[in-house]
DNA sequence: CAGATAAATTCACATATATGTACATTTTCC
DNA sequence: GGAAAATGTACATATATGTGAATTTATCTG
């Protein structure tokens, strides 16, 4: 079950992150199609808690810097080492595609850092983006780091859906693909989950955290180059990862 | 009316900002005294939206860097000029008290930047902290920047309460205090709102934004020094504010 | 400066939603 | 290695909550 008002808080904040300017109650209500009265209650709650203020009289609400202060607190803990961002920045620059660092979240994989392609046709992904762990290159690069028991536990919760022609729709299919990935030396996906999308990924354990790096883009562009992209990822990780802290 | 689940989202995030480590469903539910099932729904919603993930298997949830990305987006807009932070840092260092930048939010004043005193007994305030605009030095320094009509409009919404012995409990009392502040050259408060708390503030218009600077601390320590603290604030603003962009 | 128009706020009620209970799964401890 | 404890998940139901309509307040326009 989705908690509506919790989701609404996130939507409001995303709204501000997009528009980047103060908005009045009416503007917000109209934008989301929410009743004025409900919007009023939500804004009042956020203001009450010190997360919204009125920068100028009658110019509407805007988030206080408290969001930033809180987010900084949260993200200071075990931040990703700086070289991981360099990694995806370099990969994106060299390949012209979108590169990301990915982490597990139950049966899903979450993008925790992203450098987007600059191409007109690109894989559009943002931090926080989620994809099925079993049906994506990045996700399978995470599964490779699990023990058999841990994988089984995840499998039990997966709802196998035919997202695309090549989606693995059984535990065996996933396990086979994992074995192939080991043999191949990297994980790949050709529209397993998203139409027209292909990508290459490898595991990226950091400390005791299980992460992965992925480069993905439109199938017609990246498809034929997947092996060399995978090799490039491996080389770039080797180059950037500090030798002393290597897992 | 307060929107409970909206407030709960904020509480959860504040919880993570404090503990700075992943937490399981059970830990969160117990900490807040929430039912497991409700906590489950909330965490599911936040995860679904890409704001929570599971860094390590079975180690619980933690916010994704998406919070930081979003907060950065929001705060990039008209950030406070860097000298304002220097301002309160210097003031706090010189006086040993807590110094803040404050902005209006209806009948309240919000702390949008804070440098805390290092003293054992100190004014404890954080970014997002809210105080009544009419019953605090910082708030009155904001009101001084309003036109008479704008002030009247604010007054109509104020619920006058006797927070302390010297709280102004009528429009006239507030207006008189404002006139006194102008004559005096700064705003002051002696436990008008919080017990044992005294402070000095002056308006700090930046562009078309109406802000104020305040230095506040325990009455016994800062009380006798309020005039010199006020003079120090004025001098420090003069020193740090760029001449070219002065309002 | 009225009169009109739009926005913000309040409130009572129907309905969407949080939760108690039951079940499944995982982990801990002996 | 097996039983007990803890944790995570699903669902029906009573109730807390969101909302439409009415009221008040602010803003625009001629």
């Amino acid at each position: 079950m989705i908690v509506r008002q919790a989701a609404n808080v996130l939507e409001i904040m995303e709204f501000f992150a997009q528009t980047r300017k103060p908005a009045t109650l009416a503007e917000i209500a109209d934008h989301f199609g929410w009743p004025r009265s409900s919007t009023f209650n939500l804004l009042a709650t956020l203001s009450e808690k010190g997360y919204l203020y009125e920068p100028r009289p009658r110019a509407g609400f805007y988030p206080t810097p408290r969001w930033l202060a809180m987010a900084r607190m949260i993200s200071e803990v075990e931040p990703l080492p700086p070289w991981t961002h360099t990694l995806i920045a370099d990969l994106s620059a060299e390949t012209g595609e979108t590169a990301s660092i990915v982490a597990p979240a139950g049966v899903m994989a979450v993008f925790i850092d992203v450098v987007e392609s600059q191409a007109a046709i690109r894989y559009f992904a943002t931090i926080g983006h989620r994809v099925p762990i079993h049906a994506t290159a990045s996700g399978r690069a995470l599964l490779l780091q699990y023990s058999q028991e841990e994988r089984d536990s995840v499998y039990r919760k997966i709802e196998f859906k035919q997202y695309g022609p090549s989606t693995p729709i059984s535990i065996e299919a996933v396990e086979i693909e994992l074995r192939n990935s080991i043999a191949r030396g990297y994980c790949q996906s050709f529209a397993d989950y998203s139409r027209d999308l292909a990508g290459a990924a490898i595991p990226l354990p950091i400390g005791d955290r299980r992460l992965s790096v992925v480069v993905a883009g439109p199938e017609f562009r990246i498809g034929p180059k997947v092996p060399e992209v995978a090799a490039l990822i491996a080389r770039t990780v080797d180059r950037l990862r500090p030798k002393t802290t290597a897992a």
Side-chain angles (χ1 to χ4, degrees), chain A:
Chain A
M1 170 189 283
I2 216 163
V3 181
R4 180 123 63 97
Q5 292 294 27
N8 288 351
V9 170
L10 303 174
E11 302 246 316
I12 285 205
M13 298 319 294
E14 285 169 16
F15 170 76
F16 281 119
Q18 269 174 29
T19 64
R20 303 195 183 199
K21 64 177 186 200
T24 63
L25 188 153
E27 284 166 1
I28 297 172
D30 293 349
H31 178 261
F32 290 107
W34 295 340
R36 298 257 162 115
S37 50
S38 316
T39 309
F40 175 76
N41 290 335
L42 233 195
L43 293 181
T45 302
L46 292 176
S47 303
E48 194 81 24
K49 285 245 155 200
Y51 288 92
L52 242 38
Y53 76 124
E54 293 151 63
R56 295 148 235 258
R58 258 169 275 113
F61 297 86
Y62 199 73
T64 64
R66 186 166 188 178
W67 283 100
L68 188 61
M70 196 171 67
R72 284 217 181 104
M73 285 270 201
I74 289 167
S75 303
E76 259 169 28
V77 184
E78 325 182 83
L80 287 174
W83 64 266
T84 60
H85 190 79
T86 313
L87 171 65
I88 53 175
D90 284 10
L91 287 174
S92 176
E94 284 210 49
T95 61
E97 303 295 349
T98 299
S100 320
I101 305 288
V102 181
V107 298
M108 305 296 272
V110 198
F111 286 46
I112 61 170
D113 198 7
V114 176
V115 173
E116 257 192 61
S117 160
Q118 289 307 306
I121 304 294
R122 69 176 83 161
Y123 179 26
F124 179 79
T126 52
I127 294 178
H129 192 92
R130 281 153 40 96
V131 296
I133 202 166
H134 68 290
T136 50
S138 51
R140 289 194 287 256
L142 295 173
L143 285 177
L144 280 180
Q145 302 170 67
Y146 285 37
S147 71
Q148 188 63 55
E149 291 75 37
E150 290 172 321
R151 272 211 297 278
D152 289 340
S153 156
V154 170
Y155 291 152
R156 252 171 271 134
K157 297 183 190 161
I158 292 179
E159 266 190 279
F160 288 95
K161 278 192 199 161
Q162 192 79 264
Y163 298 108
S166 57
T167 311
I169 38 81
S170 71
I171 296 180
E172 297 74 49
V174 176
E175 283 285 312
I176 288 172
E177 180 53 30
L178 289 182
R179 263 177 255 125
N180 290 344
S181 302
I182 294 173
R184 191 192 299 129
Y186 60 89
C187 300
Q188 64 183 22
S189 158
F190 292 93
D192 283 18
Y193 173 56
S194 290
R195 194 142 179 272
D196 305 321
L197 181 71
I202 64 171
L204 189 76
I206 294 185
D208 60 351
R209 282 197 286 178
R210 295 153 171 186
L211 307 175
S212 68
V213 213
V214 61
V215 173
E219 199 169 3
F220 70 87
R221 202 162 61 203
I222 202 176
K225 294 193 287 181
V226 157
E228 50 180 292
V229 167
L232 174 68
I233 299 177
R235 277 205 311 281
T236 315
V237 169
D238 267 351
R239 174 161 62 80
L240 294 173
R241 163 168 245 152
K243 304 306 170 204
T244 47
T245 45

